[in-house]
Amino acid sequence: MFPLYSSERWRIWLACTTTAFALGTVPIASAGIPATIAYQGHLTQTGGSPLTGTTTLQISLYTTASGGTALWSETHTNTNVSNGVFAVPLGSITPLTLPFDTPYYLGVTVNGGTELLPRQPLTSAPYALNALSANTVMDGAITASKLGENCAAGETLLRNVSGWACGLVPGTPGATGPAGPAGPAGAQGAVGATGPAGPAGAQGATGPAGSSGAAGANALVQLTTEPVGIHCAVGGTKVEAGSDADGNNTLDVDEVTVTRYVCNGAQGPVGTAGPAGAIGPQGPTGATGAAGPAGAAGSVGPAGPQGPIGATGLAGPIGPAGNAGSNALLKISTEVAGANCATGGVKVDAGNDSNANATLDAAEVVTTRYVCNGVQGIQGVQGATGPMGPAGPAGSGGGTTGLTTVVHGCFDGSLTSVNGTGYTVSRNGSNYTIGFTNAFNSTNYSLLVDARTSTGRSRAITSTGKTTNGTTWSAGWLDTIETQGSMCFVAAL
């Protein structure tokens, strides 16, 4: 069956013949005349391609070319369609009882869809069914009086060339005499009327498929830059199209049939300057500079006998502040596999931001290290921090060290092992806060921090706060295979 969609259209031509004929006054046996019409049509889809397969056809007859109600209808299921052609006998399912005494229009519906338009007017052949009325003439109904003739006794109503007339029945004809000489040729008679169309012949076998046509040439489009000139005032693109006649997949000059230009638009006016962006946030405070040198030691007096150790002398004066140090910067980049890292890794450049532009320039790099990829070894057990050694004996009298307060200690990343005294430590993510048990008398104390990862790599530290009561710093990045190892610090003033 053919699927029918509302958007499809069928194209149909038809031919009708009938097996009922007008036979004049010759007696007809009604059982010998089939009242059917041979109906043949051709179905195609949108685009003109013919249909092949089976379909359901509903055939209806109307007295109007459009609208109105069908006077007769029948449905032919599983109708064979070959290369678009089909043939069905109308009246073979629903008898044709129409008088065929007025023009009729034939409508076709395919697969239950919308009736095809326009309806087809019937030609003269189906109206031969009107001759079937001869079957209903009763015996003796045709008389001489009805034919306008009254014959005398012994006469018989005869048919001659001019009509019906009374006359004597001729006797038995004699033998045919010899042929006379041929007379002169008569004038050309008028052409006789065209006889009625004969019945449709049987559907002929489908002819063999035609040979495939030659392959069509591919359409090609070529785009090239069009310079400033008569075609484009400000330049643009030249578009050429044509068929690839020689099949080389290149649009040759003699194959171009259409040329168009897509030109650039004129330069628009310069837009007004946008508003100034907001001032960026304050950069982080630079690291504290190194402690100044200790004061010069006093002269040593003459050595006397070893006396008891005296009390600690007064603290020497605070040395002058050192010059502000430049910020230390790190630059981390991917190192491809090569001479520095056989399996690739990370390149770490370090140096001081001498020009204070917050970028580690090539001239500022003082140290380059490579962290290469490799097979991760088994994590060793964190060794316990050794006990603090005993304080050394006080030096002989004279100058002092210049330090009045020192706090130091070591702890691991999870703060499960904390060594040293005089401080507390807490952690928030990668930020560590040290609180001094006894506050320093100023914030000019020196702070040294050493942080190591589980692989022994030194971890970058950035100070985020420093008060007389404590300090806070943020630890740098960790690789995916690393964890925080030990951290040690010294704060001295």
Side-chain angles (χ1 to χ4, degrees):
M1 301 292 289
F2 301 117
L4 181 66
Y5 304 97
S6 60
S7 62
E8 283 192 292
R9 293 292 183 270
W10 310 86
R11 186 175 63 188
I12 184 167
W13 55 259
L14 60 89
C16 293
T17 61
T18 179
T19 56
F21 298 90
L23 301 178
T25 60
V26 178
I28 301 174
S30 62
I33 301 178
T36 58
I37 300 174
Y39 172 57
Q40 189 177 59
H42 186 264
L43 288 175
T44 62
Q45 299 187 82
T46 301
S49 59
L51 300 176
T52 297
T54 59
T55 187
T56 296
L57 300 175
Q58 179 179 324
I59 314 297
S60 303
L61 293 178
Y62 303 81
T63 58
T64 57
S66 63
T69 303
L71 302 180
W72 173 90
S73 179
E74 70 179 11
T75 301
H76 293 262
T77 59
N78 297 323
T79 302
N80 290 323
V81 180
S82 177
N83 202 28
V85 178
F86 68 90
V88 293
L90 305 186
S92 62
I93 298 174
T94 301
L96 287 166
T97 58
L98 301 178
F100 287 90
D101 56 357
T102 187
Y104 292 106
Y105 296 88
L106 184 142
V108 179
T109 301
V110 181
N111 288 340
T114 304
E115 187 177 82
L116 303 181
L117 294 177
R119 294 172 182 166
Q120 305 295 316
L122 294 184
T123 57
S124 60
Y127 292 95
L129 290 174
N130 195 22
L132 290 176
S133 60
N135 288 341
T136 62
V137 178
M138 298 177 61
D139 292 341
I142 300 176
T143 63
S145 61
K146 289 183 178 180
L147 295 176
E149 297 290 343
N150 291 317
C151 296
E155 292 183 329
T156 302
L157 185 65
L158 301 175
R159 175 73 171 175
N160 56 34
V161 294
S162 60
W164 294 93
C166 296
L168 298 176
V169 177
T172 303
T176 303
Q188 177 66 40
V191 177
T194 302
Q203 174 68 37
T206 303
S211 58
S212 299
N218 292 329
L220 297 179
V221 175
Q222 178 174 278
L223 304 180
T224 56
T225 300
E226 179 68 15
V228 175
I230 59 173
H231 298 299
C232 288
V234 292
T237 300
K238 180 180 181 181
V239 182
E240 296 174 303
S243 298
D244 188 15
D246 56 8
N248 65 349
N249 292 324
T250 299
L251 186 62
D252 300 321
V253 175
D254 58 348
E255 294 173 338
V256 175
T257 58
V258 178
T259 301
R260 295 291 185 271
Y261 298 91
V262 180
C263 298
N264 299 329
Q267 178 67 36
V270 177
T272 57
I279 297 175
Q282 177 66 36
T285 304
T288 304
S299 59
V300 179
Q306 179 67 41
I309 297 173
T312 302
L314 297 175
I318 298 173
N323 296 327
S326 57
N327 291 331
L329 297 178
L330 289 178
K331 180 180 180 181
I332 299 173
S333 58
T334 301
E335 180 68 16
V336 298
N340 297 318
C341 285
T343 57
V346 176
K347 178 181 180 182
V348 182
D349 294 322
N352 294 322
D353 188 14
S354 301
N355 57 9
N357 66 347
T359 300
L360 185 61
D361 301 319
E364 297 172 337
V365 176
V366 296
T367 301
T368 299
R369 295 290 185 270
Y370 298 91
V371 180
C372 299
N373 299 330
V375 179
Q376 176 63 35
I378 299 174
Q379 177 64 43
V381 178
Q382 176 68 35
T385 303
M388 184 177 293
S396 58
T400 63
T401 63
L403 300 177
T404 60
T405 305
V406 177
V407 179
H408 62 89
C410 293
F411 50 87
D412 60 9
S414 61
L415 305 183
T416 57
S417 175
V418 179
N419 297 303
T421 59
Y423 74 98
T424 60
V425 61
S426 61
R427 176 184 178 186
N428 181 13
S430 62
N431 294 319
Y432 294 84
T433 300
I434 303 297
F436 301 134
T437 304
N438 296 316
F440 283 87
N441 58 15
S442 75
T443 60
N444 290 329
Y445 56 86
S446 298
L447 177 65
L448 300 177
V449 180
D450 179 63
R452 299 286 174 170
T453 68
S454 57
T455 61
R457 178 177 62 82
S458 178
R459 194 175 180 189
I461 297 296
T462 302
S463 175
T464 58
K466 183 179 180 185
T467 67
T468 58
N469 294 316
T471 181
T472 302
W473 66 72
S474 174
W477 60 277
L478 286 173
D479 200 355
T480 55
I481 63 173
E482 295 178 322
T483 58
Q484 177 58 50
S486 63
M487 286 189 179
C488 295
F489 75 96
V490 176
L493 181 60

